[in-house]
Amino acid sequence: MTILPDFLHINPQTRHVSLDGRNPAFYSDPNRVYALLHEHCPTFYWEEQRQWFFTGYDHVNGLLRDRRFGRQILHIASREELGLPEPLAHLENFNLAERYSLLELEPPEHTRLRTLVNRAFVSRHIEKLRPEIAKLAERLIDGFEGQGETELLSSFADIIPVTMIARMIGIPDEMGPQLLKWSHAYVGMYMFKRTRQDEYAADRAAGEFSDYVKGLIAERRREPREDLLTHMIHTEHKGQYLTDDELVSTTIVLLNAGHEATVHQIGNSVRVILESGLPPADLFRDEAATERTVEETLRICAPVHIFQRWALEDVEIDGLSFKRGDKVSLILAAANLDPNKFSDPLAFKPDRQEAQNLSFGAGIHFCIGAPLARLELNTVLPILFRRLPGMRITRTPVVKDVYHFHGLERLDLAWRQGSPAL
């Protein structure tokens, strides 16, 4: 019989689970809990969250694509009909910034916005950025290589994704630190048990972020450039252009989604590779090996764990009845550990040839920035391990208390100085 940790209580008969999402014993090592959920009840009611959650690969994959569920509900029913409270007054700026977010819309609005943006993120366009990403990574490493040690998130991981997505949109490099501050405050809205202070910080960041983007939009209308923002302003879809509010929401979601998860994933990937003990020279021996290594790090330590959806009609899933307006949660990171799809799922095995990980989602809301994130990881990780031979972790990494995101507070590294390892 499996012994559960003290902070986890599972009733397989009722499929009810009690678990504090802000408990460090959980968010520091969520994979251990996910494995227990797979063993006892992969579909469960999380008592503290008052919601049903799915962890099974087939259920998560299916629900991501199921058009009976959506990211939006108020387009088919009123708050009064659904018994939903009115929006909080102190979140006015945040709610306005989210109103036209690609992550929150359903067709036809989602189709129109995504069509206007998607061309810039297809793989053949993104691939052209590889030399620029590599050059940035090499320059950052030049700045700390001679010291023999660094804190990788602040010196490397934080900088690359925000710089690249900002350049694509048309934002100067020097805005990077401010964009990070806005983004960190903004995504505080998605944390479990967020505080009123978190909400005030997110709303303030949303207001400042929006004002900055509105200024950029005005500039690009006067002086168009070869960047994504200009493209979004001046490109039409079936005779329609994006409104200023749509442009603000889309720019903010692209900036946040374009770097927040990748920052976490660079740190997560380096950690899992170093802790695996596998030789980097083998993991990054060629392009194919590098791609397999990156996909395995995305599978075993995904940066975003939960994606929520509304039931758009009455529906039954896994023996459970949901009514229109019910919300369900899909744990992407747990689906990546389903023992029915992955052998020895808690082990880091880059040579796997099993199911595709679900870290970027699926269906119409598949992460638009996935090609960019994958390119950044496939480019910078081999450079990092080549330039810093014998890299090792010098302080036990601490995971951020930001569940349902998963990333490190810091990653302290040291290496031997000498000839390259790869």
Side-chain angles (χ1 to χ4, degrees), residues 108-109 112-113 116 232-243 246:
E109 289 83 2
R112 182 170 66 93
L113 264 67
L116 287 169
M232 291 192 295
I233 291 170
H234 295 283
T235 303
E236 56 88 23
H237 177 64
K238 296 183 178 179
Q240 290 184 305
Y241 292 86
L242 295 182
T243 66
E246 289 173 332

Short mmCIF file of all heavy atoms in Angstrom, two decimals, residues 108-109 112-113 116 232-243 246:
data_model
loop_
_atom_site.label_atom_id
_atom_site.label_comp_id
_atom_site.label_asym_id
_atom_site.label_seq_id
_atom_site.Cartn_x
_atom_site.Cartn_y
_atom_site.Cartn_z
N PRO A 108 -15.79 33.45 -33.05
CA PRO A 108 -14.92 33.86 -34.17
C PRO A 108 -13.87 34.90 -33.81
O PRO A 108 -12.95 35.12 -34.59
CB PRO A 108 -15.93 34.44 -35.16
CG PRO A 108 -17.01 35.02 -34.28
CD PRO A 108 -17.13 34.08 -33.12
N GLU A 109 -14.00 35.54 -32.62
CA GLU A 109 -13.03 36.59 -32.26
C GLU A 109 -11.61 36.01 -32.16
O GLU A 109 -10.64 36.61 -32.64
CB GLU A 109 -13.41 37.24 -30.93
CG GLU A 109 -14.64 38.13 -31.01
CD GLU A 109 -15.93 37.33 -30.90
OE1 GLU A 109 -15.86 36.09 -30.73
OE2 GLU A 109 -17.01 37.95 -30.98
N ARG A 112 -10.05 35.44 -35.62
CA ARG A 112 -9.62 36.69 -36.28
C ARG A 112 -8.30 37.19 -35.70
O ARG A 112 -7.36 37.49 -36.44
CB ARG A 112 -10.70 37.76 -36.11
CG ARG A 112 -10.37 39.08 -36.80
CD ARG A 112 -11.57 40.02 -36.80
NE ARG A 112 -11.94 40.44 -35.45
CZ ARG A 112 -11.49 41.57 -34.88
NH1 ARG A 112 -10.66 42.36 -35.54
NH2 ARG A 112 -11.86 41.90 -33.67
N LEU A 113 -8.21 37.25 -34.37
CA LEU A 113 -6.98 37.75 -33.76
C LEU A 113 -5.80 36.82 -34.03
O LEU A 113 -4.70 37.26 -34.37
CB LEU A 113 -7.16 37.92 -32.24
CG LEU A 113 -7.54 39.33 -31.78
CD1 LEU A 113 -8.93 39.70 -32.26
CD2 LEU A 113 -7.48 39.44 -30.26
N LEU A 116 -4.33 37.08 -37.53
CA LEU A 116 -3.52 38.28 -37.76
C LEU A 116 -2.13 38.16 -37.16
O LEU A 116 -1.19 38.80 -37.63
CB LEU A 116 -4.24 39.50 -37.18
CG LEU A 116 -5.46 39.98 -37.97
CD1 LEU A 116 -6.24 41.01 -37.17
CD2 LEU A 116 -5.03 40.57 -39.31
N MET A 232 0.44 44.11 -36.93
CA MET A 232 -0.89 43.94 -36.33
C MET A 232 -1.76 45.17 -36.56
O MET A 232 -2.97 45.07 -36.74
CB MET A 232 -0.77 43.64 -34.83
CG MET A 232 -0.18 42.28 -34.52
SD MET A 232 -0.37 41.80 -32.78
CE MET A 232 0.65 43.03 -31.94
N ILE A 233 -1.16 46.34 -36.55
CA ILE A 233 -1.92 47.58 -36.74
C ILE A 233 -2.44 47.70 -38.16
O ILE A 233 -3.59 48.11 -38.39
CB ILE A 233 -1.03 48.80 -36.41
CG1 ILE A 233 -0.74 48.87 -34.90
CG2 ILE A 233 -1.68 50.10 -36.88
CD1 ILE A 233 0.33 49.89 -34.54
N HIS A 234 -1.61 47.35 -39.14
CA HIS A 234 -1.92 47.66 -40.53
C HIS A 234 -2.44 46.48 -41.36
O HIS A 234 -2.72 46.65 -42.55
CB HIS A 234 -0.68 48.25 -41.20
CG HIS A 234 -0.25 49.57 -40.62
ND1 HIS A 234 -0.89 50.75 -40.91
CD2 HIS A 234 0.74 49.88 -39.74
CE1 HIS A 234 -0.32 51.74 -40.25
NE2 HIS A 234 0.67 51.24 -39.52
N THR A 235 -2.56 45.31 -40.76
CA THR A 235 -3.05 44.14 -41.50
C THR A 235 -4.53 43.92 -41.19
O THR A 235 -4.94 44.00 -40.03
CB THR A 235 -2.25 42.89 -41.13
OG1 THR A 235 -0.87 43.12 -41.39
CG2 THR A 235 -2.72 41.70 -41.96
N GLU A 236 -5.30 43.64 -42.22
CA GLU A 236 -6.74 43.42 -42.02
C GLU A 236 -7.09 41.95 -42.25
O GLU A 236 -6.38 41.22 -42.94
CB GLU A 236 -7.56 44.32 -42.93
CG GLU A 236 -7.26 44.20 -44.42
CD GLU A 236 -8.05 43.12 -45.12
OE1 GLU A 236 -9.12 42.75 -44.62
OE2 GLU A 236 -7.58 42.63 -46.17
N HIS A 237 -8.19 41.52 -41.64
CA HIS A 237 -8.71 40.17 -41.83
C HIS A 237 -10.19 40.30 -42.18
O HIS A 237 -10.99 40.77 -41.37
CB HIS A 237 -8.54 39.34 -40.55
CG HIS A 237 -9.13 37.96 -40.63
ND1 HIS A 237 -8.67 37.01 -41.51
CD2 HIS A 237 -10.16 37.38 -39.95
CE1 HIS A 237 -9.37 35.90 -41.36
NE2 HIS A 237 -10.29 36.10 -40.42
N LYS A 238 -10.53 39.93 -43.41
CA LYS A 238 -11.91 40.04 -43.89
C LYS A 238 -12.45 41.46 -43.72
O LYS A 238 -13.58 41.68 -43.26
CB LYS A 238 -12.80 39.02 -43.19
CG LYS A 238 -12.41 37.58 -43.49
CD LYS A 238 -13.36 36.59 -42.84
CE LYS A 238 -12.97 35.16 -43.20
NZ LYS A 238 -13.87 34.15 -42.55
N GLY A 239 -11.59 42.44 -44.05
CA GLY A 239 -12.00 43.83 -44.02
C GLY A 239 -11.96 44.48 -42.66
O GLY A 239 -12.32 45.66 -42.51
N GLN A 240 -11.51 43.77 -41.63
CA GLN A 240 -11.48 44.31 -40.28
C GLN A 240 -10.04 44.46 -39.79
O GLN A 240 -9.18 43.62 -40.07
CB GLN A 240 -12.23 43.40 -39.30
CG GLN A 240 -13.75 43.40 -39.49
CD GLN A 240 -14.43 42.56 -38.42
OE1 GLN A 240 -14.13 41.39 -38.25
NE2 GLN A 240 -15.36 43.16 -37.70
N TYR A 241 -9.79 45.53 -39.05
CA TYR A 241 -8.51 45.76 -38.40
C TYR A 241 -8.68 45.59 -36.90
O TYR A 241 -9.80 45.73 -36.36
CB TYR A 241 -8.00 47.17 -38.70
CG TYR A 241 -7.61 47.40 -40.15
CD1 TYR A 241 -8.56 47.79 -41.09
CD2 TYR A 241 -6.30 47.20 -40.57
CE1 TYR A 241 -8.22 48.00 -42.42
CE2 TYR A 241 -5.94 47.40 -41.89
CZ TYR A 241 -6.90 47.79 -42.81
OH TYR A 241 -6.54 47.98 -44.13
N LEU A 242 -7.59 45.34 -36.19
CA LEU A 242 -7.65 45.25 -34.73
C LEU A 242 -7.91 46.63 -34.14
O LEU A 242 -7.33 47.63 -34.58
CB LEU A 242 -6.33 44.71 -34.17
CG LEU A 242 -5.95 43.27 -34.51
CD1 LEU A 242 -4.64 42.89 -33.82
CD2 LEU A 242 -7.04 42.30 -34.10
N THR A 243 -8.79 46.69 -33.16
CA THR A 243 -9.01 47.95 -32.43
C THR A 243 -7.84 48.19 -31.48
O THR A 243 -7.03 47.28 -31.23
CB THR A 243 -10.31 47.87 -31.61
OG1 THR A 243 -10.14 46.89 -30.57
CG2 THR A 243 -11.49 47.48 -32.49
N GLU A 246 -7.92 45.75 -28.64
CA GLU A 246 -7.47 44.43 -29.07
C GLU A 246 -5.95 44.40 -29.24
O GLU A 246 -5.29 43.41 -28.89
CB GLU A 246 -8.16 44.04 -30.37
CG GLU A 246 -9.64 43.71 -30.21
CD GLU A 246 -10.35 43.49 -31.53
OE1 GLU A 246 -9.91 44.07 -32.55
OE2 GLU A 246 -11.33 42.74 -31.54
#
